[in-house]
Amino acid sequence: MPKSQRNFSKNIYDYYDFHDSESEIEVELASPWQRIAAYIINVVLYSICIFLAALLYVFHKGFQPESMHINDIALNICILILSIPFITAQWIMMSKTGQSIGKRLMKIKVINLDGCNPGFVSTVFIREILFETIVSIFPYLLIKIFNLDPGYTEKIFNYLIIFICLFMLFRTDTNRRTLQDYLAKTIVIKV
């Protein structure tokens, strides 16, 4: 198997300090295109939730008397009503199987470096929530410390993170692990 990696944990810090050095797991890594497609599927599904929330808002606003227009809070409530169940379902699926809807459709999943399901902490909390928090806070710190333009700094930093992750996806010598994978000590494989 040319795309599989034998003993995929070879690039992990202190792996042998915590594991039997003779244990090897052979897995087939998810292709970069599968991972990109899974991400796009998840974004499209979430965008559909937001679109439906906007329709719900417009539909509801259209039936209000002119003196009782709904404000922006109502739009946010509509978005929450539709996005919370979607996000919750994604988190439950990721916690139990290591697969989001996009990953399931692309037949890939996230596993720990020892081959086990990472569960909620690694898959959802570290890989998604903590990573996004770090990515959100870092440009803010740059803006405050160096007095940079907020709009440009955030955009440049976000594009830089996307570029780095895309670059990492195509590196087989690091087992196609992205920044999220290193943070959570996970890897994405074919099912």
Side-chain angles (χ1 to χ4, degrees):
M1 287 190 288
K3 291 183 182 175
S4 67
Q5 297 288 322
R6 189 154 179 87
N7 193 4
F8 61 84
S9 56
K10 66 182 178 187
N11 295 317
I12 301 309
Y13 311 109
D14 303 322
Y15 177 81
Y16 294 115
D17 291 345
F18 303 104
H19 296 84
D20 179 10
S21 62
E22 295 182 16
S23 64
E24 287 187 357
I25 300 170
E26 187 166 318
V27 295
E28 190 171 357
L29 297 174
S31 77
W33 304 112
Q34 285 176 304
R35 291 183 69 172
I36 291 167
Y39 177 80
I40 290 170
I41 289 168
N42 288 333
V43 168
V44 166
L45 291 174
Y46 185 69
S47 298
I48 290 170
C49 286
I50 300 299
F51 177 73
L52 292 175
L55 281 179
L56 179 65
Y57 171 73
V58 169
F59 180 73
H60 188 271
K61 186 176 180 176
F63 288 103
Q64 296 295 318
E66 196 63 38
S67 61
M68 296 180 62
H69 278 292
I70 300 174
N71 57 19
D72 291 338
I73 293 172
L75 176 60
N76 290 330
I77 290 171
C78 290
I79 289 171
L80 286 175
I81 288 170
L82 290 172
S83 62
I84 286 177
F86 174 77
I87 291 169
T88 303
Q90 289 278 69
W91 286 1
I92 290 169
M93 288 174 58
M94 290 291 290
S95 298
K96 289 187 174 189
T97 65
Q99 294 177 301
S100 62
I101 294 170
K103 284 181 177 66
R104 184 171 294 241
L105 291 172
M106 296 309 301
K107 296 182 169 80
I108 60 176
K109 74 178 196 170
V110 177
I111 61 169
N112 276 339
L113 296 174
D114 62 3
C116 297
N117 179 18
F120 177 81
V121 173
S122 289
T123 308
V124 176
F125 183 72
I126 295 174
R127 228 172 161 267
E128 304 295 330
I129 297 170
L130 182 62
F131 179 76
E132 290 300 326
T133 302
I134 292 169
V135 168
S136 299
I137 290 173
F138 194 76
Y140 176 77
L141 293 174
L142 289 175
I143 292 165
K144 291 299 181 188
I145 292 170
F146 298 110
N147 198 24
L148 301 170
D149 182 321
Y152 289 121
T153 304
E154 289 174 11
K155 287 179 185 175
I156 290 170
F157 187 76
N158 287 336
Y159 287 130
L160 181 63
I161 292 295
I162 291 169
F163 175 77
I164 290 169
C165 288
L166 283 172
F167 177 75
M168 294 174 82
L169 276 178
F170 289 92
R171 296 197 59 214
T172 55
D173 60 327
T174 59
N175 297 316
R176 297 188 178 126
R177 294 177 68 205
T178 61
L179 296 172
Q180 300 95 313
D181 292 316
Y182 279 103
L183 186 64
K185 297 183 180 175
T186 58
I187 194 164
V188 181
I189 63 166
K190 291 183 180 182
V191 178

